[in-house]
Amino acid sequence: LLETGMLFPRESSSREVKELNGLWNFRADKSPDRNQGFDRAWYKSRLVETGPVIDMPVPASYNDITQDPTLKDFIGWVWYEREVVVPARWITDEGTRVVIRVGSAHYYSIVWVNGVKVTEHNGGHLPFEAEIGTLIRKDPTQPCRITIAVNNTLTLETLPPGSIQHMDDSTQYPKGFFVQNTYFDFFNYAGIHRAVLLYTTPAAYVDDITVVTDFLDNTGLVNYKVSVQGATTATLKVTLMDKNGQCVASSTGPFGVLKVVDVNLWWPYLMHESPGYLYSMEVHLMAANERSTYEDVYTLAVGIRTVNVTSTQFLINKKPFYFHGVNKHEDSDIRGKGFDWSLIVKDFNLLKWMGANSFRTSHYPYAEEILQMCDRHGIVVIDECPGVGIKDIRSFRNVSLNHHLVVMDELVRRDKNHASVVMWSVANEPASEMPPAEYYFKTLIQHTKALDPTRAVTYVSNSHYARDKGAPYVDVICVNSYFSWYHDPGHLEVIPLQLNTQFENWYGKYQKPIIQSEYGADAVPGLHSDPPMMFTEEYQKVVLQSCHDVFDQKRKQYLIGELIWNFADFMTAQGITRVVGNKKGVFTRQRQPKVAAFILKERYWRLANETG
Ligand code: GCB
């Protein structure tokens, strides 16, 4: 288990945050073995001293920033560097902890400060950090130089897995030619994808907070646990404030229960007139160690709600919840998977426009700021880890499973306090029919449930219902299917029968509620035909409508949700089935609606009115 917390960096009366977003110096190590940066210790001096550099924005994927095709598809180490002016008071005050935090970098990262390695991290999509106070105090006259090397190579031991294939036939391929194989359907964007920042805490500080909420009649219950680091003695005061800043409950000590009379529960969007109600929990630490006394303040947003699953329903606050939403990607023109507020706010406006109440973070954890938006707007989230493309039997080996378990540790540690997150997804479309899948998914799901007994756990399957080895262990069956697309292409008439059979089979065998976690069809925007043909907007529309008819019958029984694939078009690797990316979006990659978006809009608002 992980030893420290990973609270979102927030300013408070005791904490400061300094964002390091903007332009960094950048170089891709294009040496044949991609190892020149280490051989020549590029981290030891300024990057310009060891070779040419280019400007690279942070956060952003580096792939689409330049006109250089070798950078677009680059595999290996890239190097980022910049200097930072550290406020003098951070340096002079030895009672201040200075931490560097990387929101996410894809995939393997190493961080140096003034040439000294401070941390490394295995995996994209999740944050990592290191304390650097002692280092920058060594020579306060030096600017603080931060070097981050990032390697996007995927192997059978990474999550997602991939493999490197060398082509040695010199009559067919140039010397040294190799490709990165991946087993997922999105572009392997790389670089520093989320904010890099420095933040401070006092030397004795609030390291982690865990809240679990419940309610009884109209009294809300917030079970909390606070862990403190760096203190020999600590006193804690915990105060819960409502939206108007009025204190509604308080407590002292590292754990306890806050009771909220006349509670305002956290409700999903469209289920209540004021969805996404959040209280503010202020944790105030007064601590001391051998050196001094300290005060630390951290404020956490808390939504009070419960999650339960029966054999036919998904209950939020004991009321049936029907997921009518989308699957997304972190993906857009130019910035790739780089964090972008404008895009995020636009996407939320589109979700609300179409009446979507939920999404799955297909196929990896999204930025924390996105989950905070979901908390505030009442958008329900299925939080998926990067377990996508576990197709090769060798990916079921112990080393891979151990890494997968650690990734779940990191994901739950980061996202456990979000009211919007109601279910963890440990994988997407793994080879769950293979014999080792049973032990693998049993272990993974039990581990996740032990980390968080309060949320549902699932993975998303496209296996045969009777041969799926992990389905017995999930709380909710999530099924992806593409009738009349990957199966019986062009035959829209098979949808009612095949979809109905699919539901009856899965429910008949497992008696668990089902979410149609993907369905859809590619539509190249502007392509039209009647009668509908594949790849036209009309075909996509009819696929959706035919599926919806079946969903309408099944949602009266055990179907608890439908998530369209996909919210928007997104980039993929090049291949013969992809015309500049995947076109199953109901919006284009630039977020303009196709005909399908209007079909969903009408449907989702109708469902909202019907399901209350
Ligand atoms: C799937 C995958 C998703 C793909 C989609 C497709 O089943 O889960 O990542 O993009 O199908 O369009 O093929």
Side-chain angles (χ1 to χ4, degrees):
L1 281 187
L2 304 169
E3 279 159 17
T4 60
M6 190 57 70
L7 290 174
F8 185 76
R10 266 185 207 298
E11 291 180 325
S12 76
S13 54
S14 60
R15 295 173 173 234
E16 292 179 70
V17 176
K18 186 179 167 71
E19 281 206 357
L20 305 184
N21 298 341
L23 293 186
W24 289 52
N25 294 323
F26 176 93
R27 184 189 309 143
D29 183 346
K30 293 186 183 167
S31 62
D33 65 356
R34 305 287 196 254
N35 216 49
Q36 197 178 84
F38 292 93
D39 294 341
R40 302 199 181 159
W42 286 354
Y43 49 88
K44 281 213 171 135
S45 59
R46 293 168 62 218
L47 207 52
V48 285
E49 289 167 27
T50 50
V53 297
I54 60 170
D55 288 341
M56 189 54 70
V58 169
S61 302
Y62 58 73
N63 310 76
D64 292 348
I65 299 292
T66 73
Q67 300 311 105
D68 175 0
T70 64
L71 188 58
K72 183 173 177 66
D73 291 315
F74 184 76
I75 305 296
W77 290 101
V78 298
W79 292 71
Y80 287 80
E81 181 220 53
R82 67 163 279 181
E83 289 182 348
V84 188
V85 180
V86 180
R89 61 182 184 283
W90 293 12
I91 298 178
T92 48
D93 178 8
E94 302 239 339
T96 296
R97 274 174 80 236
V98 182
V99 181
I100 181 168
R101 187 190 210 258
V102 181
S104 83
H106 188 74
Y107 177 84
Y108 198 100
S109 313
I110 307 180
V111 183
W112 294 263
V113 171
N114 294 336
V116 178
K117 181 169 143 187
V118 294
T119 190
E120 58 191 297
H121 184 255
N122 185 7
H125 318 289
L126 288 165
F128 52 96
E129 56 180 40
E131 197 180 332
I132 60 167
T134 1
L135 244 175
I136 54 180
R137 277 178 202 120
K138 268 196 190 146
D139 182 1
T141 57
Q142 261 194 58
C144 167
R145 181 168 42 82
I146 298 171
T147 313
I148 306 181
V150 188
N151 191 332
N152 61 346
T153 306
L154 299 178
T155 69
L156 291 174
E157 273 90 51
T158 59
L159 207 64
S163 63
I164 296 288
Q165 194 180 354
H166 291 272
M167 317 296 203
D168 296 327
D169 181 347
S170 62
T171 66
Q172 304 296 319
Y173 296 101
K175 194 170 177 314
F177 187 91
F178 70 95
V179 290
Q180 166 78 72
N181 295 317
T182 57
Y183 314 110
F184 51 78
D185 182 37
F186 52 91
F187 192 82
N188 189 30
Y189 277 115
I192 301 179
H193 283 155
R194 298 182 194 148
V196 180
L197 46 87
L198 298 183
Y199 74 90
T200 65
T201 75
Y205 62 100
V206 174
D207 177 54
D208 200 10
I209 306 171
T210 307
V211 296
V212 170
T213 65
D214 200 351
F215 65 92
L216 233 150
D217 302 324
N218 60 350
T219 303
L221 303 170
V222 179
N223 288 275
Y224 73 88
K225 202 172 120 215
V226 178
S227 65
V228 169
Q229 294 270 357
T232 44
T233 62
T235 313
L236 281 160
K237 187 159 168 34
V238 178
T239 320
L240 197 70
M241 264 104 50
D242 67 13
K243 274 212 164 146
N244 305 320
Q246 295 294 314
C247 170
V248 293
S250 66
S251 175
T252 53
F255 50 86
V257 186
L258 300 163
K259 290 199 177 128
V260 188
V261 186
D262 287 331
V263 64
N264 277 304
L265 293 177
W266 184 93
W267 286 102
Y269 177 54
L270 299 173
M271 226 175 150
H272 193 267
E273 67 278 6
S274 61
Y277 192 95
L278 295 175
Y279 292 88
S280 282
M281 184 170 133
E282 187 184 282
V283 177
H284 193 138
L285 166 73
M286 281 141 299
N289 61 18
E290 310 76 21
R291 289 236 196 117
S292 185
T293 59
Y294 306 92
E295 261 189 78
D296 189 19
V297 178
Y298 190 90
T299 305
L300 182 76
V302 175
I304 301 177
R305 58 106 185 92
T306 58
V307 170
N308 296 95
V309 181
T310 72
S311 64
T312 54
Q313 290 183 320
F314 196 94
L315 305 173
I316 296 182
N317 300 336
K318 301 175 186 153
K319 292 239 168 81
F321 176 75
Y322 188 78
F323 296 78
H324 47 89
V326 305
N327 292 277
K328 289 185 94 264
H329 263 300
E330 286 182 319
D331 174 272
S332 71
D333 285 336
I334 303 172
R335 51 193 60 63
K337 290 200 178 307
F339 180 89
D340 178 2
W341 270 123
S342 308
L343 180 76
I344 291 171
V345 176
K346 177 73 177 175
D347 281 4
F348 271 80
N349 286 331
L350 292 176
L351 288 172
K352 289 193 155 185
W353 173 85
M354 73 198 283
N357 64 3
S358 52
F359 64 82
R360 168 166 71 123
T361 69
S362 44
H363 294 305
Y364 38 78
Y366 293 176
E368 289 157 273
E369 291 86 343
I370 297 179
L371 297 182
Q372 291 162 6
M373 290 273 287
C374 291
D375 290 342
R376 284 200 293 114
H377 291 271
I379 302 290
V380 173
V381 176
I382 302 172
D383 200 352
E384 188 157 275
C385 88
V388 55
I390 304 177
K391 300 278 190 210
D392 189 301
I393 188 116
R394 288 167 296 174
S395 289
F396 289 111
R397 287 183 304 204
N398 259 347
V399 294
S400 309
L401 175 57
N402 287 340
H403 179 51
H404 203 150
L405 296 173
V406 173
V407 172
M408 288 314 300
D409 291 346
E410 290 185 18
L411 175 61
V412 174
R413 172 177 67 171
R414 192 195 73 160
D415 293 348
K416 63 189 171 185
N417 294 325
H418 288 287
S420 56
V421 175
V422 298
M423 179 149 67
W424 306 107
S425 164
V426 299
N428 179 70
E429 296 190 352
S432 47
E433 295 180 23
M434 286 184 181
E438 169 152 20
Y439 175 77
Y440 192 95
F441 283 102
K442 184 178 172 196
T443 311
L444 195 56
I445 291 168
Q446 284 176 351
H447 180 78
T448 308
K449 284 186 163 292
L451 290 170
D452 177 11
T454 73
R455 291 181 175 86
V457 182
T458 191
Y459 69 88
V460 171
S461 178
N462 69 339
S463 295
H464 185 270
Y465 76 99
R467 293 193 293 269
D468 192 297
K469 299 269 186 295
Y473 305 102
V474 301
D475 295 313
V476 171
I477 303 273
C478 287
V479 194
N480 294 349
S481 51
Y482 290 90
F483 304 119
S484 88
W485 192 262
Y486 294 120
H487 310 273
D488 307 296
H491 290 282
L492 291 162
E493 67 277 22
V494 303
I495 293 178
L497 187 62
Q498 293 189 357
L499 193 54
N500 187 62
T501 307
Q502 164 199 288
F503 286 132
E504 293 296 289
N505 283 343
W506 282 92
Y507 189 76
K509 180 153 172 79
Y510 300 103
Q511 257 105 71
K512 292 180 186 180
I514 303 179
I515 294 178
Q516 180 76 39
S517 41
E518 287 182 25
Y519 71 105
D522 285 77
V524 178
L527 271 194
H528 295 284
S529 84
D530 186 69
M533 287 179 69
M534 291 177 78
F535 293 100
T536 64
E537 295 198 32
E538 287 74 16
Y539 194 90
Q540 186 185 38
K541 169 180 156 178
V542 178
V543 167
L544 266 52
Q545 287 172 327
S546 313
C547 290
H548 295 164
D549 288 344
V550 183
F551 297 162
D552 277 336
Q553 296 156 28
K554 299 299 168 192
R555 72 189 168 84
K556 301 193 177 84
Q557 303 169 39
Y558 46 74
L559 184 70
I560 57 162
E562 54 189 82
L563 304 175
I564 185 76
W565 190 265
N566 190 286
F567 171 74
D569 292 346
F570 58 92
M571 195 46 68
T572 64
Q574 298 186 61
I576 50 170
T577 59
R578 296 289 176 259
V579 187
V580 194
N582 186 309
K583 296 282 189 278
K584 294 194 186 69
V586 296
F587 295 98
T588 64
R589 200 181 193 208
Q590 296 71 34
R591 274 53 180 180
Q592 297 308 324
K594 302 181 192 171
V595 170
F598 296 97
I599 301 293
L600 280 185
K601 178 177 194 273
E602 204 208 296
R603 174 169 178 79
Y604 285 178
W605 282 101
R606 180 165 62 75
L607 287 175
N609 291 332
E610 274 176 36
T611 52

